[in-house]
Amino acid sequence: MSNDIVSTDWLADHLGSPDIAIIDASWHLPTAKRDAKQEFAQAHIPGAQFFDIDELSDTASSLPHMLPSPEKFSSRMRKMGIGDGKRIIAYDTVGLFSASRAWWMFKVFGHEDVAVLDGGLKKWLAESRATEDGPALPRQERHFTARFKGSMVKDMKDVAAALKSGTAQVADARSGTRFRGEEVEPRPGVRAGHMPGANNVHYASLLNPDGTLKSPAEIEAAFTAAGVDLARPVITSCGSGITAAILTLGLTRTGTRDHALYDGSWTEWGGNPDAAVVTGP
């Protein structure tokens, strides 16, 4: 396995390691009517802390959970006792869903030693492993250095220019029905459909039934089947920048180097009346 993924066996063996920081980065669509923070208090992996994707964002933006400033990110990590020299393990309750967003955020802010728990809490519980309840224990503050890597993030202008010039391909992680515009978008004011020229790589096509990530060869095959050429630059997108990070994790696992994530994703594009939107395959 690459350094970006760890197994439940590996984590169970390293639970008490002083250099490990475990974060529960669970997040759910508003339509799911689930409270990730409340679920964390009911059961989490021993020693884990809750990583609040909505709070750890640019709260001044009208778009959901956009990247925060490096200052805000490093300040929050310092308070959580997550600092330089720590190996961060991110998981979520679904299996492999929002943990990859947290993984990507750490990478964007220059912290390379971060991995996603393969199969997440779902697999951990299925294997009857220990959990604890209640709030996370307070940690001693640690220094966290945030070094912003702008090449990993794209904005709407970048994406529009890439689609127009053909310099990069857009891989849209949403379901086929949302991509084709056959389903109403979960956020009000956002049109149904996709960007002209985008390719649909549903994030679920990269996952096994137990929520673990498929092998690099299978991931490559999923992108190729969707018409994405991994020898050319790729921009990942989704509804609001969460599941796009699953594609980013998959691309990283295949050794693909030239890729970035569109942070505003479909919420920004579909919500902009001036942006071109198409429906159908």
Side-chain angles (χ1 to χ4, degrees):
M1 281 195 173
S2 74
N3 293 336
D4 294 290
I5 289 278
V6 296
S7 67
T8 47
D9 283 342
W10 184 92
L11 185 58
D13 289 345
H14 292 81
L15 261 191
S17 301
D19 60 336
I20 296 281
I22 306 167
I23 57 168
D24 180 331
S26 299
W27 176 91
H28 306 289
L29 268 170
T31 48
K33 304 270 192 282
R34 286 178 69 174
D35 185 335
K37 205 182 267 186
Q38 198 182 335
E39 288 178 23
F40 173 85
Q42 286 162 357
H44 54 263
I45 292 175
Q49 296 185 79
F50 187 68
F51 184 95
D52 191 334
I53 285 174
D54 283 329
E55 198 284 321
L56 270 160
S57 68
D58 174 6
T59 45
S61 172
S62 61
L63 296 166
H65 43 253
M66 294 287 281
L67 274 174
S69 67
E71 294 75 20
K72 178 174 178 176
F73 191 79
S74 57
S75 149
R76 292 292 191 280
M77 292 309 105
R78 195 164 59 238
K79 285 192 177 76
M80 286 170 75
I82 295 173
D84 304 341
K86 283 272 187 187
R87 176 149 210 225
I88 295 144
I89 310 300
Y91 76 85
D92 62 57
T93 50
V94 175
L96 207 161
F97 185 67
S98 52
S100 49
R101 170 75 186 190
W103 164 87
W104 174 77
M105 287 171 73
F106 278 102
K107 293 271 187 185
V108 168
F109 291 117
H111 193 97
E112 286 298 321
D113 204 359
V114 56
V116 170
L117 178 65
D118 210 14
L121 186 67
K122 188 177 161 192
K123 189 168 190 284
W124 186 267
L125 293 173
E127 294 163 350
S128 305
R129 298 185 192 271
T131 59
E132 59 187 20
D133 58 11
L137 295 170
R139 301 293 195 284
Q140 195 176 348
E141 289 198 11
R142 285 177 67 103
H143 181 71
F144 185 95
T145 312
R147 301 179 191 88
F148 185 65
K149 292 165 87 171
S151 62
M152 292 182 68
V153 193
K154 296 292 180 201
D155 63 19
M156 193 169 175
K157 273 196 208 110
D158 299 328
V159 177
L163 286 168
K164 195 176 176 185
S165 61
T167 48
Q169 311 152 90
V170 171
D172 187 328
R174 292 175 303 148
S175 66
T177 49
R178 281 179 69 187
F179 180 84
R180 294 188 297 271
E182 295 161 5
E183 201 183 314
V184 176
E185 280 296 304
R187 288 184 175 82
V190 178
R191 291 170 293 166
H194 60 268
M195 301 163 207
N199 302 75
N200 188 203
V201 188
H202 188 206
Y203 73 87
S205 66
L206 307 193
L207 305 176
N208 294 308
D210 66 352
T212 54
L213 199 59
K214 286 182 177 177
S215 71
E218 289 170 311
I219 293 167
E220 233 168 269
F223 276 98
T224 305
V228 178
D229 177 1
L230 296 186
R232 293 178 53 232
V234 182
I235 297 168
T236 63
S237 179
C238 62
S240 64
I242 299 278
T243 58
I246 299 174
L247 301 192
T248 299
L249 180 65
L251 290 167
T252 304
R253 194 152 186 215
T254 65
T256 304
R257 293 192 179 279
D258 200 346
H259 56 84
L261 186 148
Y262 172 25
D263 200 18
S265 279
W266 191 250
T267 301
E268 179 176 39
W269 191 285
N272 185 326
D274 299 327
V277 169
V278 291
T279 54

